[in-house]
Amino acid sequence: MKSISPLALTIALLTSPVLAAEPTAGAILETYADIALAGYEDALATARALDAATDALIAAPSEATLAAARTAWVAARPSYQQTEAFRFGNAIVDAWEGRVNAWPLDEGLIDYVDASYGGESDENGLYTANVIANPALTIDGAAVDASAITPAFLEDILQEAGGIEANVATGYHAIEFLLWGQDLNGTGPGAGNRPFTDYATEANAARRAQYLDAATDLLVTDLEEMVANWQQGGAARAALGESGLATILTGMGSLSYGELAGERMKLGLLLHDPEEEHDCFSDNTYNSHLHDAIGVQNVYLGRYARVDGSIVEGASLSDLIAVRDAALDAEIRTLLADTVARMQVMAARGETVEKYDQMIAEGNDEGNAVVQAAIDGLIAQTRGIERAVALLELGESVAIEGSDSLSNPDAVFQ
């Protein structure tokens, strides 16, 4: 028998392919929780910057301070939107989310609206309650003292008052309305155009400032709560257990399909309705959609780029699937990247050609096609996520949210 020299054996060992070790579920969930923590920390930091900018607006209302507050609001959206991938599977996040990002809202609850808004609603008795102009309200037949607009009043009394979801009194979109006002342009160019004098000389300027101050303070407090939930020993991190991988895939699939592709995008495209856009007052919708898609990609890859440029990364779902089926992992990576690329095309169009509400307008074939391409990407990546569920044999433990807009469009028009 021919012997093998030690040198030859060493070379053979060094050049032989080494199979990657399969990451444990615990390691994957640790990365997932670390990314959640970093994402909510970034959302908190940008919300604090928004709070400071609105404080400056309130202290010295001007075109410049209003513009700076609007810029801070737009800057606060990307990091928060990327955290939406933690919805749908984490009960703590789902119970909390409506306080910070609920939409659409009946803005007449909060402040003055144009006559075209209408004066009443069969579904909502507070449709034009205008709490800023009215220090006394009646909710469910009971008199309510609204003389002091505080964070507690907004959260405990006004938010979803009367059990109606459209009575959104807190969070990013209430603040957005207070900074931009109504977008009365339909599918034409232009966002809301609230004047800075609404915080200076308008009759209810002081109460409007009080509302804006309370809403931004509350947003910071709510994000502080969620940051604590994802710290080591925090409730959301502690709740991740044996079902954790199903939690990741449920969030990825539900945000991709039912929420983003369906309720936030296809519904508006079917109806050609400019009111069916997520950031409707500011015309920032395309950016929010883009960062939702990036958030889904983050949790699959186990990698998040923070606002300061640092990277949080570790063992990932992608690593696990690559060991079990490298071709499927490559397919899912490609699908996620393709969706992000399609969203980037839509965002570039939003910055240079037309805003999202114009893209979904009836008769705008080119704009409609750009939005539909992004929807198609989201649907395709959902199919890849479903194949990952099958590979990992998670079966019924993953429930991906659906949408009539995608599966039963006729129901939308009934």
Side-chain angles (χ1 to χ4, degrees):
M1 180 181 292
K2 185 176 180 180
S3 63
I4 301 175
S5 71
L7 177 60
L9 179 60
T10 300
I11 292 172
L13 289 172
L14 290 174
T15 57
S16 297
V18 177
L19 294 177
E22 182 172 297
T24 65
I28 294 169
L29 293 173
E30 189 71 14
T31 301
Y32 175 77
D34 288 345
I35 290 174
L37 174 60
Y40 286 114
E41 285 177 337
D42 283 350
L44 173 58
T46 54
R48 284 174 171 158
L50 170 61
D51 189 28
T54 57
D55 285 348
L57 166 63
I58 292 166
S62 68
E63 293 280 7
T65 54
L66 176 58
R70 288 173 174 174
T71 297
W73 187 92
V74 171
R77 293 298 280 162
S79 52
Y80 175 76
Q81 289 301 116
Q82 289 181 58
T83 69
E84 288 215 293
F86 300 95
R87 293 180 56 197
F88 304 105
N90 292 292
I92 289 171
V93 175
D94 290 335
W96 167 92
E97 181 273 339
R99 287 151 48 187
V100 297
N101 201 39
W103 80 287
L105 68 162
D106 285 348
E107 57 262 39
L109 168 75
I110 298 172
D111 202 358
Y112 70 86
V113 289
D114 187 76
S116 61
Y117 181 81
E120 60 184 5
S121 165
D122 292 337
E123 292 81 25
N124 186 4
L126 296 169
Y127 185 65
T128 54
N130 190 352
V131 68
I132 285 173
N134 294 292
L137 301 176
T138 300
I139 300 176
D140 287 338
V144 172
D145 179 7
S147 57
I149 304 176
T150 64
F153 171 76
L154 296 183
E155 185 170 44
D156 300 336
I157 305 298
L158 207 59
Q159 176 74 351
E160 295 190 2
I164 297 170
E165 290 185 356
N167 285 333
V168 175
T170 67
Y172 289 100
H173 297 295
I175 296 167
E176 180 191 12
F177 172 57
L178 288 166
L179 293 177
W180 274 271
Q182 286 179 288
D183 181 352
L184 299 171
N185 302 294
T187 55
N193 192 29
R194 184 187 291 279
F196 80 87
T197 52
D198 274 8
Y199 291 95
T201 58
E202 201 274 335
N204 297 303
R207 281 180 61 81
R208 187 170 295 109
Q210 192 177 59
Y211 196 125
L212 180 61
D213 186 48
T216 50
D217 286 350
L218 184 57
L219 178 64
V220 169
T221 300
D222 284 338
L223 286 165
E224 287 173 340
E225 175 187 323
M226 191 50 62
V227 166
N229 281 330
W230 287 99
Q231 297 279 2
Q232 292 291 340
R237 189 183 287 258
L240 293 173
E242 293 182 1
S243 63
L245 297 185
T247 295
I248 298 176
L249 288 159
T250 297
M252 288 177 60
S254 295
L255 180 58
S256 298
Y257 189 78
E259 183 69 10
L260 187 52
E263 297 307 299
R264 294 190 187 175
M265 297 184 73
K266 188 63 176 180
L267 179 60
L269 192 56
L270 286 170
L271 299 175
H272 302 295
D273 184 355
E275 294 299 310
E276 292 291 342
E277 63 163 338
H278 195 52
D279 297 355
C280 64
F281 308 115
S282 61
D283 274 350
N284 183 62
T285 297
Y286 50 85
N287 278 324
S288 284
H289 289 351
L290 167 62
H291 288 280
D292 268 332
I294 292 172
V296 175
Q297 186 181 50
N298 291 344
V299 298
Y300 183 74
L301 298 178
R303 186 180 192 277
Y304 170 62
R306 298 199 62 165
V307 169
D308 65 5
S310 62
I311 303 296
V312 177
E313 61 185 339
S316 68
L317 197 57
S318 174
D319 295 336
L320 175 61
I321 292 174
V323 172
R324 298 193 183 185
D325 187 337
L328 177 58
D329 173 60
E331 177 191 359
I332 295 173
R333 283 171 169 266
T334 298
L335 290 169
L336 294 171
D338 180 60
T339 297
V340 170
R342 292 174 186 225
M343 290 286 191
Q344 288 169 333
V345 168
M346 186 173 73
R349 185 179 183 87
E351 292 292 336
T352 60
V353 179
E354 62 189 1
K355 300 304 182 183
Y356 186 83
D357 51 4
Q358 296 171 273
M359 291 184 218
I360 63 174
E362 188 170 11
N364 183 355
D365 294 343
E366 186 174 332
N368 285 189
V370 169
V371 175
Q372 184 62 54
I375 294 169
D376 291 343
L378 289 164
I379 294 170
Q381 76 182 34
T382 304
R383 302 289 88 86
I385 292 165
E386 289 169 342
R387 288 189 282 278
V389 172
L391 175 72
L392 298 177
E393 299 180 338
L394 293 173
E396 295 181 0
S397 61
V398 174
I400 293 176
E401 297 272 337
S403 170
D404 281 344
S405 302
L406 300 174
S407 60
N408 185 21
D410 289 344
V412 171
F413 299 97
Q414 293 175 1

